[in-house]
Amino acid sequence: MSGVLDKLGRPLRDLRISVTDRCNFRCPYCMPREVFGENFPFLPKTAVLTFEEIARVACLAIGLGVRKIRLTGGEPLLRRDLVSLVGMLAEAEGLTDLALTTNGLLLAGAARALKDAGLHRVTVSLDALDDALFRRLGGTDRPVADVLRGIRAAADTGLRLKINCVVQQGINESEVLPLAAWCRSEGHTLRFIEYMDVGNHNRWRHESVVAAAVLRERLHEAFGLVPLEPAWRGEVARRFRYADHPGEVGFVSSITEPFCGDCNRARLTADGKLVTCLFASGGTDLRGLLRSGASDDQVSSALRSVWQAREDRYSELRAGTHQPDQKVEMSYVGG
Ligand code: SAM
């Protein structure tokens, strides 16, 4: 299988596929209710890629070097019959890692079928264990217990599991140690993600970011951390194990220690745009090509050209003067 390199010599390895732009949460930092309200123009069904279209792009991307696919959204478990798509992708030759990112609300009822269909891993976003804070951060009236039930159900099926927590200064810093203690006791790997300036609506400010180094120090003081070697080039998290415990914790520092140099990730939006940076202002439409009767060679060569033309490294440039006017929304491009 031939690989493809971008202008900075980065290979294409990782494809994130947003299967819907809709979500059952209204996290103020991602999909604030005042913007994504009842009248928000979400994509009509006909605009969203079918499972066959998604699987076709995925297989062609695998032909160009992709080894890892993550299904995301919006909330991917809102997409009807997602299990069928998982089954289709699980059969794709050459794929070594098939993962799903979810808020976990619907996971309890879906975990067994997802595992049976061939999903390898689930990442559950969880920003607080405290119920009132969880509801506030999720813009939801559902209890955190529903998500914990989903996590337990996924673990029971044998799916590999990770918990992701976005930490915001003065909002959920109080949750950092309780979450780490809970993940340790439950045997779940935990990732702390720096709050990023994605999208246009979350009123992001640099002061809201809690630097990964600060969190690392806090966890080290509380539990003792031992660094782990990166498992592969381009791994975004800096990983640690606990000194006295087999559990693992990692830190993703897109803001304070950008890692664009190793970024090997493309994103496919729910309506078929190929986006090569989380902070991009747009993407390349593949849906038109897919629906125009294009051959596999034509679609593959479109994918190849987009990747070969890629030179974005927004996180590294953020500190300078470069600021895109309008960025794609996280819920649209897929977190
Ligand atoms: N609905 C799914 C979920 O909640 O995991 C998948 C989509 S969601 C956009 C994916 C991840 O993006 C979540 O973990 C969320 O916390 C994270 N996210 C959203 N906005 C973010 C921001 N501004 N900075 C960092 N992470 C963000």
Side-chain angles (χ1 to χ4, degrees):
M1 272 175 209
S2 57
V4 57
L5 298 179
D6 72 5
K7 282 193 168 166
L8 303 178
R10 299 169 294 188
L12 172 61
R13 289 278 179 270
D14 183 336
L15 180 63
R16 299 205 158 201
I17 301 174
S18 173
V19 295
T20 176
D21 61 335
R22 291 163 198 257
C23 191
N24 43 6
F25 276 13
R26 284 293 177 274
C27 304
Y29 66 88
C30 186
M31 293 181 76
R33 199 174 287 281
E34 60 277 17
V35 177
F36 296 88
E38 273 177 25
N39 297 322
F40 184 81
F42 287 105
L43 294 169
K45 199 170 170 213
T46 50
V48 174
L49 293 190
T50 64
F51 288 166
E52 287 71 22
E53 288 167 336
I54 292 174
R56 186 171 175 215
V57 173
C59 287
L60 294 170
I62 292 168
L64 294 174
V66 163
R67 293 291 168 269
K68 172 176 168 186
I69 288 182
R70 178 175 293 278
L71 300 177
T72 178
E75 171 48 43
L77 293 180
L78 285 181
R79 179 83 188 248
R80 195 184 309 168
D81 199 25
L82 185 75
V83 168
S84 303
L85 177 63
V86 169
M88 290 160 86
L89 296 175
E91 284 178 5
E93 206 178 314
L95 193 67
T96 54
D97 192 5
L98 182 55
L100 171 83
T101 299
T102 172
N103 61 31
L105 205 58
L106 301 173
L107 188 56
R112 170 48 63 194
L114 290 167
K115 164 80 175 160
D116 289 348
L119 189 73
H120 300 146
R121 299 194 294 126
V122 180
T123 298
V124 179
S125 305
L126 180 59
D127 294 340
L129 282 174
D130 175 83
D131 193 53
L133 190 53
F134 166 84
R135 292 176 199 228
R136 181 149 72 86
L137 283 170
T140 177
D141 54 10
R142 300 291 293 272
V144 70
D146 286 359
V147 174
L148 302 186
R149 205 173 14 258
I151 293 173
R152 214 164 298 125
D156 286 348
T157 66
L159 275 165
R160 279 157 50 213
L161 207 84
K162 222 163 30 189
I163 309 297
N164 270 4
C165 172
V166 177
V167 184
Q168 293 177 73
Q169 179 93 43
I171 305 277
N172 63 337
E173 282 177 278
S174 55
E175 293 296 300
V176 168
L177 292 181
L179 207 51
W182 181 77
C183 285
R184 267 167 60 104
S185 70
E186 297 287 316
H188 303 320
T189 296
L190 175 62
R191 294 278 182 266
F192 288 109
I193 320 283
E194 283 181 350
Y195 178 38
M196 297 181 287
D197 50 336
V198 277
N200 310 287
H201 301 300
N202 60 10
R203 301 196 198 97
W204 182 90
R205 294 175 311 128
H206 218 294
E207 297 73 60
S208 307
V209 178
V210 184
V214 170
L215 294 174
R216 216 151 55 209
E217 199 43 46
R218 242 175 248 174
L219 262 86
H220 184 54
E221 270 172 29
F223 303 110
L225 298 182
V226 179
L228 292 168
E229 286 297 316
W232 65 88
R233 180 177 175 223
E235 187 176 44
V236 296
R238 295 264 297 275
R239 301 183 305 124
F240 296 78
R241 67 174 174 80
Y242 295 106
D244 63 341
H245 188 276
E248 182 190 310
V249 62
F251 304 88
V252 180
S253 54
S254 160
I255 302 291
T256 60
E257 301 163 68
F259 37 79
C260 305
D262 280 339
C263 180
N264 53 24
R265 194 175 280 184
R267 295 165 191 272
L268 183 66
T269 64
D271 59 350
K273 294 213 172 47
L274 190 68
V275 178
T276 55
C277 178
L278 188 51
F279 301 96
S281 51
T284 304
D285 178 53
L286 294 179
R287 189 187 63 199
L289 195 60
L290 292 167
R291 295 186 181 174
S292 71
S295 67
D296 282 355
D297 278 352
Q298 286 169 316
V299 179
S300 176
S301 96
L303 287 168
R304 180 186 289 276
S305 336
V306 169
W307 192 260
Q308 283 175 333
R310 175 190 194 238
E311 56 183 343
D312 37 32
R313 51 188 189 98
Y314 172 80
S315 293
E316 287 178 356
L317 300 176
R318 173 193 288 113
T321 50
H322 172 85
Q323 283 292 327
D325 301 337
Q326 193 74 5
K327 291 175 275 182
V328 287
E329 293 302 322
M330 186 77 139
S331 53
Y332 170 71
V333 73

